[in-house]
Amino acid sequence: MVDKSVKPLILMATLFLLLLVSAQVFHLLDYGPRGFAFAATTVATLGSLFWFTSRKRQPPERKQVFIESIPGLAWTAECDGQISSMNSQMREFLSIPSDSLAVPATSIHPEDRHKTFDLWTQQNGLGKPGTHRLLGPDGRYHWFRSVVQPVRDADGVAIWSWGTFIDIDDLKAAEDALRSSEENLRSILDHIPGQISTADGNGLHDYCNRIAETFYGHSFHELNGMGFARFVHPEDLDGYITEGWKHIKSGVPIDRPVRLLRHDGVYRWFRIRINPAFDANGNVVRWYGLHSDIDDEVRTLENLQQAQDKLAQASEFASLAELAASIAHEVNQPLSAVVTNSEACQVWLSSSPPNLDRARISADRIVRDAKEAADVVRRIRELFAQKVPHKGRISINEIIEDVVDLIRKKYSSRGLTVATSLDPGMPLIFADRIQIQQVVFNVARNGVESMQSNGEEPMTLDISSRYAGDTAIVEIADNGVGLDDPHKVFEPFFTTKTDGMGMGLSICRSIVDAHNGRLWAQARPSRGAVFAFELPIQDASFHPDRDRVEILHKRDVERL
């Protein structure tokens, strides 16, 4: 490119050469002085026009002042698109020397070079606004927005143009941050385990996340055209629409279960929660909804309800089995006494001579024990029917003595030693004699059976009673195998015996609880276990049921 400073010299030389050629031509044609004058006039006119046009294309000083006042990187260009000047900001930012108008290609981002050079070389400055990345003095690319404006003469012809690069780097960074934030928010909404949807104040949907689109198998625009109501189960549709519009009109949150149709034709239960957003005047401007899949929970609850129904039915059968097992278990003690006394009666009658007095006593005991067997059945049935026990004034010590006599007779051949320590000052207690006797016998018998595997170790059973404040406490200790879990032994059907039913101790606890008492067990420090129960002591003479009190043992009558 020829420097503009030598263009006038070239013009003068050209005109001078043209003048000489013209003079020579006119001389050869013999036109004389008039021809030379004509040629000189013609050349002068052409030179003036050329000079005027050349001067017209040169940016005057006012152009430089104009572009220096433009904020940003500014330049001017001729009609042919060639840059004719640029302001100091552009030169400084792009590191362009003051005597040059060439922009280094390396100052433009590789992806933007083509459109940037097109912007500068366009005809008449009619380029559209665009964005460009230019390399700044800090070594990084900055975002700019280009603006080009043509300057026209009176006839509307573009005679030159000016342009500027406006720094939008901060705006671009904000846009990128906003775009990143929107993408992050969309990613969060698309990955929330639930269907997210929004609607305007009138309830018209305007967004749903990808989870919802995947569930229904349609894009949002397709869903919006179909209407969400078509996906609601027919049985839930009336309530869904009626309640939905009612809540929308009143601005009240919605929370209800609904069955929705999945893309594969399967209905699943959802918990629909929709909350309104209000403006400063309290008007609903938007609705935000979350649809949570609760189908598995609903099915689980249904299965649980079915299981509970079956369990209740099984519990009824178990209660019948428990009652039968209890009767069989508890009636065993008086029947054993009947057998024992029958054998004794037979022995007395077989003696020579027969001992009729002793046989009569054994026969009396047989009758008594047989009646007790019938009472056991009756009382256990009443116990499971939660009826009030038949209570009377009884002596706990005499009950213990009766049980000890029976235990000694039953297990005397096994080397059992039974020791008793009974509090002589024990007052009468108000209780059901048969049931309390069953408690003492069952606990004592369990203690004896736990000592069957003692081997060389003697079998000892220690039974004691004591009066402590307002309670009577009975303790039965053995030196058997002991207890692993003192609490579990009272559970129904739990047993450590191969031929046991696991009902004895459970029934004992039920009996003691029915008497407002307490039954517990604990392991002995050395060997064996201790079972104990306590019963409240009440003054029988002031009991409200005194007229209906049963005297269940002849020794109670004698004591009174």
Side-chain angles (χ1 to χ4, degrees):
M1 182 181 293
V2 180
D3 194 278
K4 292 184 178 182
S5 61
V6 300
K7 284 185 177 182
L9 297 177
I10 296 175
L11 176 62
M12 293 177 63
T14 302
L15 292 175
F16 182 75
L17 180 61
L18 181 61
L19 181 60
L20 291 178
V21 172
S22 299
Q24 186 66 28
V25 170
F26 281 106
H27 176 71
L28 293 175
L29 295 177
D30 197 21
Y31 279 97
R34 287 182 302 175
F36 180 80
F38 178 78
T41 302
T42 301
V43 171
T45 302
L46 294 174
S48 298
L49 292 173
F50 184 84
W51 176 261
F52 178 80
T53 304
S54 175
R55 291 292 296 175
K56 187 176 182 180
R57 288 202 303 262
Q58 294 295 327
E61 290 297 327
R62 63 185 182 87
K63 289 184 180 180
Q64 191 65 31
V65 173
F66 170 70
I67 63 173
E68 285 293 343
S69 65
I70 297 176
L73 313 185
W75 74 92
T76 62
E78 300 300 332
C79 294
D80 59 1
Q82 294 295 320
I83 295 179
S84 57
S85 67
M86 59 182 66
N87 65 359
S88 57
Q89 293 185 51
M90 184 170 177
R91 291 183 181 279
E92 181 181 354
F93 189 86
L94 299 178
S95 301
I96 300 175
S98 58
D99 58 349
S100 174
L101 294 173
V103 178
T106 54
S107 297
I108 307 171
H109 195 280
E111 298 178 2
D112 301 338
R113 287 174 187 171
H114 180 73
K115 65 177 181 180
T116 304
F117 283 117
D118 282 349
L119 174 74
W120 282 327
T121 59
Q122 62 185 310
Q123 294 289 331
N124 299 326
L126 299 178
K128 297 180 180 179
T131 54
H132 310 262
R133 283 166 288 183
L134 303 180
L135 184 64
D138 56 358
R140 68 181 185 88
Y141 288 99
H142 294 248
W143 281 97
F144 288 86
R145 184 170 182 82
S146 62
V147 177
V148 179
Q149 180 66 39
V151 178
R152 304 180 186 276
D153 61 12
D155 298 328
V157 179
I159 55 178
W160 59 284
S161 63
W162 64 272
T164 182
F165 284 132
I166 302 173
D167 190 337
I168 59 170
D169 200 61
D170 293 340
L171 178 61
K172 198 69 175 179
E175 290 179 351
D176 292 341
L178 178 60
R179 185 180 302 106
S180 176
S181 177
E182 290 178 348
E183 292 175 354
N184 185 45
L185 177 59
R186 183 174 296 275
S187 177
I188 292 174
L189 294 177
D190 285 340
H191 290 86
I192 286 178
Q195 298 182 24
I196 304 295
S197 63
T198 61
D200 61 16
N202 296 319
L204 298 178
H205 290 87
D206 51 21
Y207 167 79
C208 69
N209 65 349
R210 189 177 302 171
I211 296 293
E213 294 179 343
T214 302
F215 180 85
Y216 298 110
H218 298 280
S219 66
F220 167 71
H221 297 290
E222 294 172 335
L223 293 173
N224 212 27
M226 297 175 181
F228 280 93
R230 72 179 295 270
F231 298 99
V232 179
H233 194 282
E235 296 178 4
D236 304 333
L237 184 58
D238 291 341
Y240 173 78
I241 295 177
T242 303
E243 183 179 347
W245 282 115
K246 178 180 177 182
H247 283 254
I248 288 175
K249 292 180 180 179
S250 59
V252 178
I254 301 173
D255 186 350
R256 61 170 294 141
V258 173
R259 285 168 288 183
L260 299 178
L261 181 64
R262 197 168 58 186
H263 61 86
D264 57 358
V266 176
Y267 283 98
R268 291 185 65 85
W269 280 101
F270 279 80
R271 169 67 66 179
I272 294 182
R273 294 183 175 92
I274 304 176
N275 285 341
F278 302 93
D279 60 13
N281 298 322
N283 300 316
V284 177
V285 293
R286 292 195 65 76
W287 291 89
Y288 298 92
L290 171 62
H291 300 178
S292 303
D293 191 326
I294 59 171
D295 194 76
D296 294 338
E297 289 82 351
V298 171
R299 305 301 180 194
T300 300
L301 289 176
E302 290 178 352
N303 295 335
L304 179 60
Q305 184 61 47
Q306 293 177 0
Q308 288 178 341
D309 294 340
K310 292 180 179 178
L311 181 60
Q313 186 178 14
S315 178
E316 293 177 359
F317 292 137
S319 298
L320 294 176
E322 184 177 353
L323 177 60
S326 301
I327 294 174
H329 184 278
E330 296 304 315
V331 82
N332 183 60
Q333 183 264 333
L335 291 181
S336 298
V338 169
V339 173
T340 301
N341 289 316
S342 298
E343 292 174 349
C345 182
Q346 188 177 25
V347 170
W348 299 127
L349 291 175
S350 301
S351 300
S352 183
N355 192 334
L356 298 180
D357 293 334
R358 304 289 295 189
R360 188 179 297 106
I361 294 174
S362 297
D364 291 339
R365 290 178 178 176
I366 291 173
V367 174
R368 181 198 65 185
D369 295 333
K371 290 181 179 180
E372 287 187 359
D375 286 339
V376 166
V377 175
R378 177 173 57 85
R379 300 296 175 83
I380 291 179
R381 292 180 62 186
E382 292 176 354
L383 175 65
F384 281 95
Q386 297 183 347
K387 293 183 178 179
V388 179
H390 294 266
K391 296 181 179 181
R393 289 168 290 182
I394 62 174
S395 169
I396 190 67
N397 287 345
E398 290 182 354
I399 289 177
I400 294 175
E401 291 173 355
D402 288 342
V403 171
V404 169
D405 290 341
L406 184 60
I407 290 293
R408 283 173 176 166
K409 291 178 180 178
K410 184 175 181 65
Y411 298 103
S412 59
S413 61
R414 304 183 186 182
L416 173 65
T417 301
V418 181
T420 59
S421 177
L422 307 180
D423 187 349
M426 180 73 70
L428 296 177
I429 64 174
F430 194 77
D432 187 310
R433 181 180 183 280
I434 297 297
Q435 291 184 357
I436 300 303
Q437 187 180 48
Q438 296 304 309
V439 171
V440 177
F441 179 80
N442 282 338
V443 173
R445 184 179 59 183
N446 281 344
V448 174
E449 293 176 351
S450 70
M451 296 185 288
Q452 298 296 320
S453 59
N454 277 11
E456 299 296 330
E457 183 74 18
M459 298 169 57
T460 59
L461 193 66
D462 298 321
I463 304 178
S464 63
S465 68
R466 68 177 187 273
Y467 175 38
D470 57 352
T471 60
I473 300 176
V474 176
E475 293 183 353
I476 302 174
D478 62 72
N479 64 338
V481 295
L483 297 174
D484 293 330
D485 189 347
H487 300 286
K488 198 171 184 179
V489 294
F490 296 105
E491 295 180 0
F493 301 108
F494 175 81
T495 181
T496 57
K497 296 176 288 186
T498 57
D499 58 346
M501 290 182 293
M503 294 302 303
L505 293 177
S506 175
I507 294 173
C508 290
R509 169 164 283 184
S510 298
I511 292 173
V512 173
D513 290 343
H515 286 77
N516 298 321
R518 185 169 66 96
L519 173 64
W520 69 94
Q522 63 186 31
R524 299 181 72 177
S526 57
R527 180 183 175 89
V530 177
F531 285 82
F533 67 90
E534 62 180 11
L535 297 173
I537 295 176
Q538 300 175 354
D539 188 351
S541 61
F542 296 101
H543 195 277
D545 296 332
R546 181 184 176 194
D547 295 337
R548 295 189 290 109
V549 168
E550 293 187 48
I551 307 300
L552 300 175
H553 196 284
K554 62 181 181 180
R555 282 175 292 189
D556 294 335
V557 179
E558 295 173 357
R559 181 179 288 270
L560 293 173

